[in-house]
mmCIF file of all heavy atoms in Angstrom:
data_model
loop_
_atom_site.group_PDB
_atom_site.id
_atom_site.type_symbol
_atom_site.label_atom_id
_atom_site.label_comp_id
_atom_site.label_asym_id
_atom_site.label_seq_id
_atom_site.Cartn_x
_atom_site.Cartn_y
_atom_site.Cartn_z
ATOM 1 N N THR A 97 18.956 30.198 58.936
ATOM 2 C CA THR A 97 19.519 29.327 59.972
ATOM 3 C C THR A 97 19.046 27.880 59.842
ATOM 4 O O THR A 97 19.277 27.071 60.742
ATOM 5 C CB THR A 97 19.147 29.846 61.370
ATOM 6 O OG1 THR A 97 17.726 29.883 61.488
ATOM 7 C CG2 THR A 97 19.723 31.230 61.615
ATOM 8 N N ASP A 98 18.386 27.540 58.728
ATOM 9 C CA ASP A 98 17.963 26.155 58.520
ATOM 10 C C ASP A 98 19.171 25.246 58.362
ATOM 11 O O ASP A 98 20.286 25.710 58.072
ATOM 12 C CB ASP A 98 17.087 26.047 57.268
ATOM 13 C CG ASP A 98 15.711 26.664 57.479
ATOM 14 O OD1 ASP A 98 15.430 27.122 58.608
ATOM 15 O OD2 ASP A 98 14.928 26.705 56.505
ATOM 16 N N GLU A 99 18.950 23.945 58.507
ATOM 17 C CA GLU A 99 20.036 22.993 58.272
ATOM 18 C C GLU A 99 20.540 23.136 56.836
ATOM 19 O O GLU A 99 19.763 23.391 55.915
ATOM 20 C CB GLU A 99 19.561 21.565 58.523
ATOM 21 C CG GLU A 99 19.345 21.244 59.996
ATOM 22 C CD GLU A 99 19.063 19.767 60.216
ATOM 23 O OE1 GLU A 99 20.014 18.973 60.276
ATOM 24 O OE2 GLU A 99 17.876 19.428 60.330
ATOM 25 N N ILE A 100 21.850 22.956 56.660
ATOM 26 C CA ILE A 100 22.485 23.119 55.351
ATOM 27 C C ILE A 100 22.902 21.740 54.838
ATOM 28 O O ILE A 100 23.544 20.969 55.562
ATOM 29 C CB ILE A 100 23.723 24.033 55.451
ATOM 30 C CG1 ILE A 100 23.314 25.407 56.007
ATOM 31 C CG2 ILE A 100 24.397 24.177 54.088
ATOM 32 C CD1 ILE A 100 24.493 26.283 56.371
ATOM 33 N N TYR A 101 22.533 21.443 53.589
ATOM 34 C CA TYR A 101 22.899 20.167 52.984
ATOM 35 C C TYR A 101 23.578 20.417 51.643
ATOM 36 O O TYR A 101 23.113 21.228 50.845
ATOM 37 C CB TYR A 101 21.661 19.298 52.753
ATOM 38 C CG TYR A 101 20.875 19.001 54.010
ATOM 39 C CD1 TYR A 101 19.587 19.516 54.181
ATOM 40 C CD2 TYR A 101 21.414 18.212 55.019
ATOM 41 C CE1 TYR A 101 18.852 19.238 55.324
ATOM 42 C CE2 TYR A 101 20.685 17.935 56.164
ATOM 43 C CZ TYR A 101 19.416 18.447 56.320
ATOM 44 O OH TYR A 101 18.709 18.180 57.446
ATOM 45 N N SER A 102 24.670 19.690 51.402
ATOM 46 C CA SER A 102 25.297 19.745 50.078
ATOM 47 C C SER A 102 24.480 18.964 49.068
ATOM 48 O O SER A 102 24.461 19.284 47.883
ATOM 49 C CB SER A 102 26.724 19.192 50.146
ATOM 50 O OG SER A 102 27.531 19.984 50.995
ATOM 51 N N CYS A 103 23.841 17.894 49.540
ATOM 52 C CA CYS A 103 23.013 17.063 48.663
ATOM 53 C C CYS A 103 21.561 17.136 49.123
ATOM 54 O O CYS A 103 21.234 16.664 50.220
ATOM 55 C CB CYS A 103 23.485 15.614 48.671
ATOM 56 S SG CYS A 103 22.441 14.526 47.637
ATOM 57 N N PRO A 104 20.670 17.701 48.314
ATOM 58 C CA PRO A 104 19.263 17.802 48.713
ATOM 59 C C PRO A 104 18.535 16.461 48.671
ATOM 60 O O PRO A 104 17.442 16.337 49.214
ATOM 61 C CB PRO A 104 18.685 18.769 47.676
ATOM 62 C CG PRO A 104 19.551 18.586 46.460
ATOM 63 C CD PRO A 104 20.925 18.315 46.996
ATOM 64 N N LEU A 105 19.137 15.465 48.020
ATOM 65 C CA LEU A 105 18.473 14.168 47.887
ATOM 66 C C LEU A 105 18.579 13.328 49.161
ATOM 67 O O LEU A 105 17.595 12.810 49.665
ATOM 68 C CB LEU A 105 19.067 13.388 46.700
ATOM 69 C CG LEU A 105 18.917 14.034 45.325
ATOM 70 C CD1 LEU A 105 19.627 13.199 44.271
ATOM 71 C CD2 LEU A 105 17.446 14.190 44.968
ATOM 72 N N CYS A 106 19.803 13.189 49.681
ATOM 73 C CA CYS A 106 20.023 12.301 50.834
ATOM 74 C C CYS A 106 20.362 13.066 52.103
ATOM 75 O O CYS A 106 20.611 12.456 53.143
ATOM 76 C CB CYS A 106 21.134 11.300 50.524
ATOM 77 S SG CYS A 106 22.791 12.041 50.447
ATOM 78 N N HIS A 107 20.421 14.403 52.015
ATOM 79 C CA HIS A 107 20.797 15.242 53.161
ATOM 80 C C HIS A 107 22.163 14.832 53.719
ATOM 81 O O HIS A 107 22.372 14.753 54.935
ATOM 82 C CB HIS A 107 19.721 15.186 54.245
ATOM 83 C CG HIS A 107 18.466 15.902 53.863
ATOM 84 N ND1 HIS A 107 17.385 16.048 54.710
ATOM 85 C CD2 HIS A 107 18.114 16.530 52.707
ATOM 86 C CE1 HIS A 107 16.429 16.722 54.093
ATOM 87 N NE2 HIS A 107 16.856 17.025 52.876
ATOM 88 N N ASP A 108 23.077 14.546 52.789
ATOM 89 C CA ASP A 108 24.482 14.263 53.111
ATOM 90 C C ASP A 108 24.679 12.974 53.898
ATOM 91 O O ASP A 108 25.713 12.794 54.556
ATOM 92 C CB ASP A 108 25.113 15.431 53.883
ATOM 93 C CG ASP A 108 25.097 16.726 53.095
ATOM 94 O OD1 ASP A 108 24.886 16.671 51.874
ATOM 95 O OD2 ASP A 108 25.286 17.797 53.694
ATOM 96 N N THR A 109 23.740 12.049 53.789
ATOM 97 C CA THR A 109 23.935 10.744 54.435
ATOM 98 C C THR A 109 24.640 9.771 53.498
ATOM 99 O O THR A 109 25.234 8.788 53.950
ATOM 100 C CB THR A 109 22.588 10.137 54.845
ATOM 101 O OG1 THR A 109 21.800 9.881 53.669
ATOM 102 C CG2 THR A 109 21.831 11.069 55.772
ATOM 103 N N GLY A 110 24.552 10.011 52.196
ATOM 104 C CA GLY A 110 25.142 9.098 51.217
ATOM 105 C C GLY A 110 24.245 7.929 50.881
ATOM 106 O O GLY A 110 24.603 7.089 50.052
ATOM 107 N N VAL A 111 23.080 7.855 51.523
ATOM 108 C CA VAL A 111 22.169 6.722 51.323
ATOM 109 C C VAL A 111 20.864 7.232 50.743
ATOM 110 O O VAL A 111 20.295 8.222 51.213
ATOM 111 C CB VAL A 111 21.891 5.995 52.657
ATOM 112 C CG1 VAL A 111 20.916 4.843 52.436
ATOM 113 C CG2 VAL A 111 23.186 5.487 53.257
ATOM 114 N N LEU A 112 20.371 6.548 49.716
ATOM 115 C CA LEU A 112 19.112 6.930 49.081
ATOM 116 C C LEU A 112 18.395 5.662 48.639
ATOM 117 O O LEU A 112 18.950 4.851 47.894
ATOM 118 C CB LEU A 112 19.363 7.836 47.876
ATOM 119 C CG LEU A 112 18.131 8.480 47.232
ATOM 120 C CD1 LEU A 112 17.462 9.446 48.204
ATOM 121 C CD2 LEU A 112 18.522 9.210 45.950
ATOM 122 N N SER A 113 17.190 5.473 49.123
ATOM 123 C CA SER A 113 16.378 4.293 48.787
ATOM 124 C C SER A 113 17.133 2.996 49.045
ATOM 125 O O SER A 113 17.069 2.048 48.247
ATOM 126 C CB SER A 113 15.938 4.358 47.313
ATOM 127 O OG SER A 113 15.199 5.532 47.071
ATOM 128 N N GLY A 114 17.877 2.965 50.126
ATOM 129 C CA GLY A 114 18.603 1.757 50.496
ATOM 130 C C GLY A 114 19.891 1.528 49.737
ATOM 131 O O GLY A 114 20.609 0.550 49.986
ATOM 132 N N GLY A 115 20.205 2.412 48.785
ATOM 133 C CA GLY A 115 21.433 2.262 48.012
ATOM 134 C C GLY A 115 22.337 3.466 48.175
ATOM 135 O O GLY A 115 22.136 4.313 49.046
ATOM 136 N N VAL A 116 23.356 3.555 47.324
ATOM 137 C CA VAL A 116 24.322 4.647 47.373
ATOM 138 C C VAL A 116 23.763 5.851 46.625
ATOM 139 O O VAL A 116 23.339 5.736 45.474
ATOM 140 C CB VAL A 116 25.665 4.211 46.750
ATOM 141 C CG1 VAL A 116 26.621 5.380 46.643
ATOM 142 C CG2 VAL A 116 26.297 3.098 47.591
ATOM 143 N N CYS A 117 23.749 7.007 47.284
ATOM 144 C CA CYS A 117 23.271 8.238 46.644
ATOM 145 C C CYS A 117 24.279 8.704 45.594
ATOM 146 O O CYS A 117 25.483 8.408 45.676
ATOM 147 C CB CYS A 117 23.059 9.327 47.694
ATOM 148 S SG CYS A 117 22.373 10.869 47.018
ATOM 149 N N SER A 118 23.802 9.464 44.627
ATOM 150 C CA SER A 118 24.669 9.951 43.551
ATOM 151 C C SER A 118 25.795 10.829 44.083
ATOM 152 O O SER A 118 26.889 10.866 43.517
ATOM 153 C CB SER A 118 23.855 10.719 42.513
ATOM 154 O OG SER A 118 23.165 11.809 43.122
ATOM 155 N N CYS A 119 25.556 11.544 45.202
ATOM 156 C CA CYS A 119 26.602 12.415 45.744
ATOM 157 C C CYS A 119 27.774 11.589 46.259
ATOM 158 O O CYS A 119 28.941 11.940 46.060
ATOM 159 C CB CYS A 119 26.053 13.307 46.856
ATOM 160 S SG CYS A 119 25.556 12.437 48.365
ATOM 161 N N LEU A 120 27.488 10.462 46.915
ATOM 162 C CA LEU A 120 28.554 9.591 47.409
ATOM 163 C C LEU A 120 29.239 8.894 46.244
ATOM 164 O O LEU A 120 30.460 8.696 46.259
ATOM 165 C CB LEU A 120 27.983 8.559 48.387
ATOM 166 C CG LEU A 120 29.007 7.599 49.017
ATOM 167 C CD1 LEU A 120 30.101 8.358 49.747
ATOM 168 C CD2 LEU A 120 28.301 6.626 49.963
ATOM 169 N N LYS A 121 28.469 8.551 45.210
ATOM 170 C CA LYS A 121 29.067 7.919 44.035
ATOM 171 C C LYS A 121 30.049 8.863 43.362
ATOM 172 O O LYS A 121 31.117 8.444 42.905
ATOM 173 C CB LYS A 121 27.977 7.492 43.044
ATOM 174 C CG LYS A 121 28.529 6.737 41.848
ATOM 175 C CD LYS A 121 27.435 6.256 40.915
ATOM 176 C CE LYS A 121 28.029 5.513 39.718
ATOM 177 N NZ LYS A 121 26.991 5.050 38.776
ATOM 178 N N LYS A 122 29.711 10.165 43.302
ATOM 179 C CA LYS A 122 30.634 11.132 42.705
ATOM 180 C C LYS A 122 31.927 11.220 43.507
ATOM 181 O O LYS A 122 33.021 11.266 42.940
ATOM 182 C CB LYS A 122 29.970 12.508 42.626
ATOM 183 C CG LYS A 122 28.955 12.640 41.508
ATOM 184 C CD LYS A 122 28.406 14.054 41.414
ATOM 185 C CE LYS A 122 27.435 14.197 40.249
ATOM 186 N NZ LYS A 122 26.928 15.580 40.118
ATOM 187 N N LEU A 123 31.803 11.254 44.835
ATOM 188 C CA LEU A 123 33.002 11.288 45.676
ATOM 189 C C LEU A 123 33.818 10.013 45.493
ATOM 190 O O LEU A 123 35.054 10.049 45.456
ATOM 191 C CB LEU A 123 32.607 11.475 47.142
ATOM 192 C CG LEU A 123 32.016 12.833 47.509
ATOM 193 C CD1 LEU A 123 31.488 12.817 48.940
ATOM 194 C CD2 LEU A 123 33.056 13.936 47.351
ATOM 195 N N TYR A 124 33.135 8.885 45.383
ATOM 196 C CA TYR A 124 33.823 7.611 45.152
ATOM 197 C C TYR A 124 34.565 7.643 43.816
ATOM 198 O O TYR A 124 35.725 7.225 43.724
ATOM 199 C CB TYR A 124 32.818 6.463 45.156
ATOM 200 C CG TYR A 124 33.429 5.125 44.806
ATOM 201 C CD1 TYR A 124 34.040 4.340 45.780
ATOM 202 C CD2 TYR A 124 33.399 4.648 43.495
ATOM 203 C CE1 TYR A 124 34.616 3.120 45.456
ATOM 204 C CE2 TYR A 124 33.973 3.428 43.162
ATOM 205 C CZ TYR A 124 34.574 2.658 44.146
ATOM 206 O OH TYR A 124 35.158 1.452 43.815
ATOM 207 N N ASN A 125 33.907 8.149 42.776
ATOM 208 C CA ASN A 125 34.535 8.203 41.456
ATOM 209 C C ASN A 125 35.769 9.102 41.461
ATOM 210 O O ASN A 125 36.741 8.836 40.750
ATOM 211 C CB ASN A 125 33.536 8.692 40.415
ATOM 212 C CG ASN A 125 32.554 7.608 40.009
ATOM 213 O OD1 ASN A 125 32.821 6.424 40.200
ATOM 214 N ND2 ASN A 125 31.417 7.993 39.454
ATOM 215 N N ARG A 126 35.737 10.163 42.268
ATOM 216 C CA ARG A 126 36.916 11.022 42.363
ATOM 217 C C ARG A 126 38.073 10.289 43.041
ATOM 218 O O ARG A 126 39.235 10.450 42.649
ATOM 219 C CB ARG A 126 36.567 12.302 43.117
ATOM 220 C CG ARG A 126 35.735 13.262 42.271
ATOM 221 C CD ARG A 126 35.215 14.439 43.044
ATOM 222 N NE ARG A 126 34.311 15.239 42.213
ATOM 223 C CZ ARG A 126 33.500 16.159 42.676
ATOM 224 N NH1 ARG A 126 33.454 16.408 43.978
ATOM 225 N NH2 ARG A 126 32.715 16.839 41.861
ATOM 226 N N GLU A 127 37.759 9.484 44.049
ATOM 227 C CA GLU A 127 38.797 8.687 44.696
ATOM 228 C C GLU A 127 39.343 7.646 43.723
ATOM 229 O O GLU A 127 40.554 7.400 43.669
ATOM 230 C CB GLU A 127 38.235 7.990 45.944
ATOM 231 C CG GLU A 127 37.852 8.933 47.074
ATOM 232 C CD GLU A 127 39.036 9.725 47.589
ATOM 233 O OE1 GLU A 127 40.137 9.159 47.711
ATOM 234 O OE2 GLU A 127 38.874 10.936 47.846
ATOM 235 N N LEU A 128 38.443 7.048 42.950
ATOM 236 C CA LEU A 128 38.863 6.064 41.958
ATOM 237 C C LEU A 128 39.733 6.702 40.892
ATOM 238 O O LEU A 128 40.762 6.151 40.483
ATOM 239 C CB LEU A 128 37.625 5.419 41.321
ATOM 240 C CG LEU A 128 37.866 4.331 40.265
ATOM 241 C CD1 LEU A 128 38.672 3.175 40.844
ATOM 242 C CD2 LEU A 128 36.535 3.824 39.724
ATOM 243 N N THR A 129 39.355 7.897 40.443
ATOM 244 C CA THR A 129 40.147 8.615 39.442
ATOM 245 C C THR A 129 41.530 8.949 39.984
ATOM 246 O O THR A 129 42.528 8.870 39.260
ATOM 247 C CB THR A 129 39.414 9.897 39.010
ATOM 248 O OG1 THR A 129 38.177 9.528 38.387
ATOM 249 C CG2 THR A 129 40.253 10.699 38.028
ATOM 250 N N ALA A 130 41.599 9.331 41.264
ATOM 251 C CA ALA A 130 42.897 9.632 41.870
ATOM 252 C C ALA A 130 43.803 8.405 41.847
ATOM 253 O O ALA A 130 45.024 8.531 41.702
ATOM 254 C CB ALA A 130 42.700 10.118 43.306
ATOM 255 N N GLU A 131 43.195 7.215 41.973
ATOM 256 C CA GLU A 131 43.976 5.978 41.924
ATOM 257 C C GLU A 131 44.394 5.635 40.501
ATOM 258 O O GLU A 131 45.501 5.149 40.267
ATOM 259 C CB GLU A 131 43.135 4.821 42.481
ATOM 260 C CG GLU A 131 42.903 4.866 43.975
ATOM 261 C CD GLU A 131 44.123 4.444 44.756
ATOM 262 O OE1 GLU A 131 44.730 3.420 44.430
ATOM 263 O OE2 GLU A 131 44.485 5.171 45.702
ATOM 264 N N LEU A 132 43.497 5.872 39.540
ATOM 265 C CA LEU A 132 43.723 5.414 38.173
ATOM 266 C C LEU A 132 44.295 6.493 37.262
ATOM 267 O O LEU A 132 44.888 6.173 36.235
ATOM 268 C CB LEU A 132 42.401 4.923 37.566
ATOM 269 C CG LEU A 132 41.747 3.722 38.244
ATOM 270 C CD1 LEU A 132 40.410 3.425 37.585
ATOM 271 C CD2 LEU A 132 42.641 2.506 38.181
ATOM 272 N N GLY A 133 44.121 7.762 37.628
ATOM 273 C CA GLY A 133 44.572 8.846 36.749
ATOM 274 C C GLY A 133 46.029 9.177 36.976
ATOM 275 O O GLY A 133 46.364 10.265 37.447
#
Side-chain angles (χ1 to χ4, degrees):
T97 59
D98 288 357
E99 288 188 82
I100 302 170
Y101 302 113
S102 297
C103 178
L105 298 176
C106 71
H107 289 184
D108 300 344
T109 64
V111 179
L112 189 65
S113 302
V116 173
C117 183
S118 58
C119 67
L120 182 57
K121 184 177 179 181
K122 284 184 177 182
L123 291 172
Y124 175 85
N125 283 340
R126 286 172 186 166
E127 293 299 320
L128 181 59
T129 297
E131 289 284 313
L132 297 176

